[in-house]
Structures are given as C-alpha cells and as structure tokens.
Amino acid sequence: MATFNAQDGTKIYFKDWGKGKPVLFSHGWPLDADMWDSQMNFLAQRGYRAIAFDRRGFGRSDQPWEGYDYDTFASDINDLIEHLDLREITLVGFSMGGGDVARYIGRYGSERVSALALLGAVTPIFIKTDDHPEGVDKSVFDDIKVGLLKDRAQFISDFSTPFYGLNKGQSVSDGVKAQTLNIALLASLKGTVECVTAFSETDFRADIAKIDVPTLVIHGSGDQVVPFEATGRLAASTIKNARLKVYENAPHGFAVTHQQQLNDDLLAFLTSH
C-alpha cells in the first residue's frame, strides 16, 4: 500500500495510476480517494498520471488526534508533491478539498502547479459572516456536528439525500449509497467532526487572491450542501481568467450523478493548457 509520512509523522495513503502529466485530486468530506476512481481511471487511460490521497483521519490514512486544519492539510499535500517530486500538476479539489488546494497555492505558490480545478468547492468562504452574508449560517454546521456525535452512521446515511439530490429528481444506485456510507465510516470520528469546523469556518479569500494559474470552476446549480451563489460563483468571479461551468440542477455529488460530463470537462480542460 503506497503511503508517505507527513511532517508530524502521520502516515497518509495515496493511489497513483498511469503515466504522464500529473493530476492530483483532493477529496470531499466525509469521503476518501475512492470518490475519484472514475475520473482517475478515465484520465489514466488517456495518458495522464492520476494521483489521489486519503486526507489524514480518513480512509486508509492514519487517524491522528490533531491536525485537522487547512494549514496542516496544505502541508500534507506539499509533502506528497515533494515525495513524488511532481511538477506541472493540475490540482483538482472537490468540496472541502477545494480548500486544501487553494490553501496549498496560498502557502506554497504555484511553481509546481500548471492549473487548478475547483469542483463544488467551499472556497472562497462557506460560513455566513458580516462581510459574507450569503454564506451558510453557523447553526447548520453546529447541527451537523451534533448529528454526527449522536449517530454518525444514520446521519451520513440521511446525508446522501441532499448530497446526491435524491429529493430533487436525481438518482443514484443503492450501491453508491452503500459505498458512500462505507467510505465515511472508515474515517476517524474526531477528524470527521473537526473537519466540519475547518471547512465551514476557514476563510480562503487570501488564498484565492494568490491563484495565478488557469482555473476551472464547476458547480451544480442545485447544490444543497455547498450553495453555488455563496461559493462557486464568487470564486469564479474573483480568480483571474477563471472558467465557470454550471451544471444545471446538478447536486453536490455531481462526480457521480454527472460522471461522464465531469470526466469530459476535466479532459477538455487538461488538453487546453
């Protein structure tokens, strides 16, 4: 099993498929690298090197008690990039993973990065604040943490409905729902809860301002988890020369519901720069 050691000794799992220009994927909450299997397989078959890791506390990575903050997540990505000596990378971040890759550029620059894709991402800021009134109220995130601590398995099971838009005309198989729950339950409870605080309260606006590589922003207009108007639209309007693609009525989990469309769009973006 391929792993590397982060700065604090945490062992982090990654998968590395194919050969060619590298594409590094950062997953969403509460998932792991397996959420990217379709995209990785598709791109690796077309001459790219697809790499994805399990965030600390999730999947097959170690479950440390501390380190569930975006400076640490960005440091972990930097450690992986240096471990594999990657260059000319396209970074792809979904949901909370969009924060990882934005903070990576904010802290480490874009010397090794050639492009960026933010998919349903929590950037530039998720939570409602005085200067971000369109954000999501803190009480929503507080309720999520209460639900996780009370009955994580049932909470995640129920969470599949808005995540995949099952209450808004979308559909996924029973297998997908089972896999989503199984992946989520591999994670540390501590990490799962603390990441809610991290992805909801972290302000990425300073990181977004430092992005100087071609950027693709994809968001579903029907996203009930990370609302487009509060996040993706603002990111696309802030990042210089960003391309915005809105998937009409698509839910947060469009990597599944709009799998082929996403695969095709990522490939088109990769071949355009």
Side-chain angles (χ1 to χ4, degrees):
M1 195 164 76
T3 61
F4 69 96
N5 289 328
Q7 293 289 324
D8 63 357
T10 299
K11 187 170 289 187
I12 295 179
Y13 166 87
F14 67 96
K15 53 179 75 177
D16 186 351
W17 298 353
K19 295 180 180 179
K21 192 175 178 183
V23 185
L24 177 58
F25 293 88
S26 184
H27 65 80
W29 176 96
L31 304 172
D32 66 19
D34 291 353
M35 73 156 283
W36 295 116
D37 277 3
S38 173
Q39 289 71 45
M40 292 181 66
N41 189 65
F42 180 83
L43 294 177
Q45 288 181 330
R46 287 159 178 79
Y48 291 89
R49 182 181 180 185
I51 303 156
F53 62 95
D54 290 352
R55 186 177 289 105
R56 60 172 55 225
F58 293 78
R60 291 139 293 200
S61 292
D62 282 353
Q63 299 187 357
W65 187 245
E66 298 176 333
Y68 300 105
D69 61 87
Y70 274 96
D71 284 349
T72 302
F73 299 150
S75 176
D76 292 344
I77 289 176
N78 185 60
D79 290 340
L80 173 57
I81 287 171
E82 291 190 344
H83 175 72
L84 296 176
D85 193 23
L86 302 176
R87 300 179 187 277
E88 295 187 41
I89 313 159
T90 296
L91 293 172
V92 182
F94 168 70
S95 195
M96 80 167 289
D100 290 353
V101 294
R103 179 56 54 88
Y104 169 81
I105 290 176
R107 287 195 68 189
Y108 300 97
S110 57
E111 180 183 355
R112 291 175 179 256
V113 180
S114 65
L116 172 69
L118 298 172
L119 314 181
V122 299
T123 49
I125 182 171
F126 195 2
I127 200 167
K128 183 177 182 178
T129 61
D130 290 343
D131 61 353
H132 184 55
E134 58 269 76
V136 176
D137 196 85
K138 183 177 182 294
S139 63
V140 172
F141 305 111
D142 291 340
D143 288 346
I144 290 172
K145 287 182 274 193
V146 169
L148 290 168
L149 291 170
K150 180 181 179 181
D151 186 345
R152 176 170 58 147
Q154 189 59 52
F155 182 88
I156 298 296
S157 182
D158 293 342
F159 184 67
S160 287
T161 295
F163 188 89
Y164 291 117
L166 306 182
N167 56 340
K168 298 289 185 178
Q170 301 291 336
S171 63
V172 296
S173 67
D174 289 341
V176 164
K177 288 183 279 188
Q179 183 189 34
T180 301
L181 179 59
N182 289 339
I183 289 174
L185 294 180
L186 286 174
S188 151
L189 177 59
K190 175 80 156 33
T192 301
V193 173
E194 289 208 1
C195 280
V196 176
T197 301
F199 69 64
S200 66
E201 298 184 11
T202 303
D203 188 340
F204 300 101
R205 286 176 288 195
D207 304 296
I208 288 290
K210 295 180 181 178
I211 294 172
D212 57 357
V213 295
T215 301
L216 174 66
V217 177
I218 302 179
H219 219 103
S221 68
D223 194 325
Q224 301 169 74
V225 179
V226 182
F228 169 58
E229 297 293 339
T231 54
R233 182 180 292 282
L234 292 175
S237 65
T238 304
I239 299 168
K240 186 178 179 180
N241 298 323
R243 298 186 213 172
L244 173 63
K245 292 192 74 98
V246 180
Y247 288 3
E248 194 63 32
N249 299 321
H252 192 54
F254 62 78
V256 173
T257 62
H258 293 61
Q259 174 180 294
Q260 194 57 52
Q261 185 177 357
L262 175 59
N263 291 353
D264 291 341
D265 284 341
L266 286 175
L267 180 61
F269 179 59
L270 287 165
T271 57
S272 70
H273 65 269

